[in-house]
Amino acid sequence: MSATIDIRHVPHASPTPADVRAGLIADPGFGKVFSDHMVTIEWSAEKGWHDGQLRARGPFTLDPAASVLHYAQEIFEGMKAYRTADGEVVLFRPLENARRFQRSAARMAMPDLPEQLFLEAVETLVRTDADWIPKEEGGSLYLRPFMFANESFLGVRPAASYIFCVVACPVGAYFKGGAKPVSVWASTDYTRAAAGGTGAAKCGGNYAASLIAQAEAIRQGCDQVVFLDAAEKKWVEELGGMNVFFVFDDGTLLTPPLTGTILPGITRDSIIRLARGQGMSVQESLYSFDQWRQDAASGRLREVFACGTAAVVSAIGTVRYKDGSFTIGGGTDGEVTRSLRTRLTAIQRGETDDPYSWRHKVAL
Ligand code: PLP
Ligand code: COI
């Protein structure tokens, strides 16, 4: 079995005309508009990875007994391609996504996709659909690599066949309010992940389990849910789709540690490095919801922000919970949040130097 395989190009019969595409990407929102193509690669126990194709985006044919439909063997990634001012197309730390995909696959008893094949699949799609990258400020092409079990078999065991696929989505801001601070609902009835579970893997099941809490957050008038730990319902973990940072009056930052129940965000890691690089102290420590409430009241806590690929860096202004609500820093976008967001997005978009070599240029 070879680690590298060719990705065969199957021409699209009727690509979207340029004027229609321009209309679609003018104000794409998040996750609603898709580019013309997708990459698929199959895996079977006999052949390993095989039949790589770049082809027109379209539906899969699945047997009703396909194991993903019953036992949810599915993982995914989220990453973005940006068009720089001088016309280059760049990805942000794509090998980190490839590695996290491998770790998610291992946890879900799925086959290992070589890093280079992951990268080649993503680059092939970006190169082909580069004209789908929105040009307006804040726009990017969101890439969604994913893998699922398609063996038709109802016994409970790891499947013997899988499909890996990448689709692309021109996107603007994740939150409708743009950079305006978001509100979060602290869920005490539902938790996201427990020790020994799949919290550190990017598997669809984690998100399925979070939807009822996210729906509750929306009912409570909040943008997102923030989860507490499953064992004590005490420690702040992360949001439904973002990690969280706290900024204190002495200039220090704190973010919950990677204990196995939260997703090791690539944005999280980048923020830690940028902040430490600027001489700030960043602790990866447990932080309780009670402490959060007290520190917001005393003014010791100055800013809180959420971060992730889709949401970038978003200030959290208001927190609601069963017994009340509180605001942080007057509910506005704080200085540290703003400066870290500006620095990160400037690196991602090629507007500044790249001291950590995070940009990955896609050959067009
Ligand atoms: N936490 C969860 C649950 C997520 O879904 C995401 C988004 O991918 C993140 C954190 C942030 O991860 P990253 O910065 O790698 O996008
Ligand atoms: C991402 O930021 O890439 C995510 O996966 C978060 C959400 C869209 C699920």
Side-chain angles (χ1 to χ4, degrees):
M1 281 180 218
S2 144
T4 56
I5 63 158
D6 289 332
I7 297 177
R8 191 161 54 92
H9 291 219
V10 183
H12 194 302
S14 52
T16 308
D19 56 332
V20 177
R21 185 179 60 226
L24 286 170
I25 68 176
D27 182 20
F30 187 91
K32 298 181 290 191
V33 178
F34 295 90
S35 73
D36 277 335
H37 294 87
M38 64 182 186
V39 169
T40 53
I41 312 177
E42 302 205 18
W43 187 92
S44 67
E46 318 81 70
K47 293 194 201 162
W49 291 107
H50 65 282
D51 198 16
Q53 292 188 31
L54 169 84
R55 54 184 167 123
R57 182 179 174 279
F60 294 114
T61 303
L62 281 186
D63 188 274
S67 43
V68 67
L69 301 178
H70 302 270
Y71 310 127
Q73 240 193 326
E74 190 269 355
I75 58 170
F76 67 96
E77 269 303 323
M79 53 209 289
K80 283 176 173 173
Y82 307 88
R83 171 83 68 178
T84 68
D86 44 17
E88 287 184 348
V89 172
V90 294
L91 293 162
F92 183 70
R93 307 186 70 184
L95 279 175
E96 297 303 319
N97 295 94
R99 290 175 188 139
R100 188 169 64 188
F101 197 70
Q102 291 182 324
R103 294 196 302 272
S104 298
R107 177 62 183 84
M108 301 301 286
M110 296 168 88
D112 185 83
L113 182 72
E115 279 168 22
Q116 285 308 321
L117 194 49
F118 177 99
L119 192 57
E120 193 186 330
V122 169
E123 288 196 74
T124 300
L125 184 61
V126 170
R127 195 176 296 128
T128 308
D129 284 343
D131 288 341
W132 286 85
I133 304 177
K135 292 184 181 65
E136 99 277 6
E137 205 187 321
S140 59
L141 191 65
Y142 182 79
L143 285 317
R144 175 50 66 89
F146 62 103
M147 184 196 338
F148 61 92
N150 70 336
E151 186 189 4
S152 145
F153 176 68
L154 291 185
V156 182
R157 57 146 171 77
S161 65
Y162 297 85
I163 294 176
F164 168 73
C165 179
V166 194
V167 293
C169 202
V171 298
Y174 186 74
F175 292 113
K176 280 196 212 81
K180 199 168 115 283
V182 299
S183 52
V184 296
W185 166 253
S187 174
T188 38
D189 287 346
Y190 305 107
T191 54
R192 178 182 172 275
T198 57
K202 208 161 164 58
C203 62
N206 288 343
Y207 298 80
S210 77
L211 296 178
I212 189 167
Q214 175 64 25
E216 190 177 63
I218 301 289
R219 265 202 317 279
Q220 296 289 342
C222 294
D223 298 297
Q224 272 275 320
V225 55
V226 57
F227 288 104
L228 307 180
D229 76 292
E232 297 180 73
K233 302 237 177 107
K234 175 175 179 184
W235 308 105
V236 181
E237 297 235 298
E238 63 178 327
L239 275 56
M242 283 147 248
N243 295 114
V244 62
F245 279 81
F246 301 87
V247 185
F248 298 97
D249 57 358
D250 61 357
T252 59
L253 267 69
L254 181 152
T255 191
L258 301 178
T259 54
T261 57
I262 68 173
L263 194 80
I266 295 158
T267 319
R268 176 189 178 281
D269 180 73
S270 308
I271 292 282
I272 292 174
R273 289 188 197 213
L274 283 178
R276 287 189 179 146
Q278 289 172 21
M280 297 165 93
S281 150
V282 186
Q283 288 174 43
E284 296 179 67
S285 321
L286 295 177
Y287 189 63
S288 72
F289 186 70
D290 281 347
Q291 194 68 47
W292 185 357
R293 201 153 35 87
Q294 283 169 34
D295 289 343
S298 73
R300 178 175 170 250
L301 181 66
R302 288 289 162 84
E303 305 174 29
V304 182
F305 63 84
C307 67
T309 298
V312 197
V313 172
S314 298
I316 295 176
T318 310
V319 184
R320 288 185 198 289
Y321 61 109
K322 251 191 181 141
D323 303 320
S325 68
F326 58 92
T327 56
I328 302 119
T332 60
D333 200 11
E335 200 179 305
V336 175
T337 304
R338 214 167 34 236
S339 100
L340 286 167
R341 180 197 302 123
T342 304
R343 179 93 179 102
L344 178 69
T345 55
I347 295 176
Q348 289 172 331
R349 295 177 178 279
E351 293 160 3
T352 183
D353 59 326
D354 183 18
Y356 303 98
S357 303
W358 284 342
R359 283 196 293 265
H360 177 96
K361 186 173 155 185
V362 178
L364 294 177

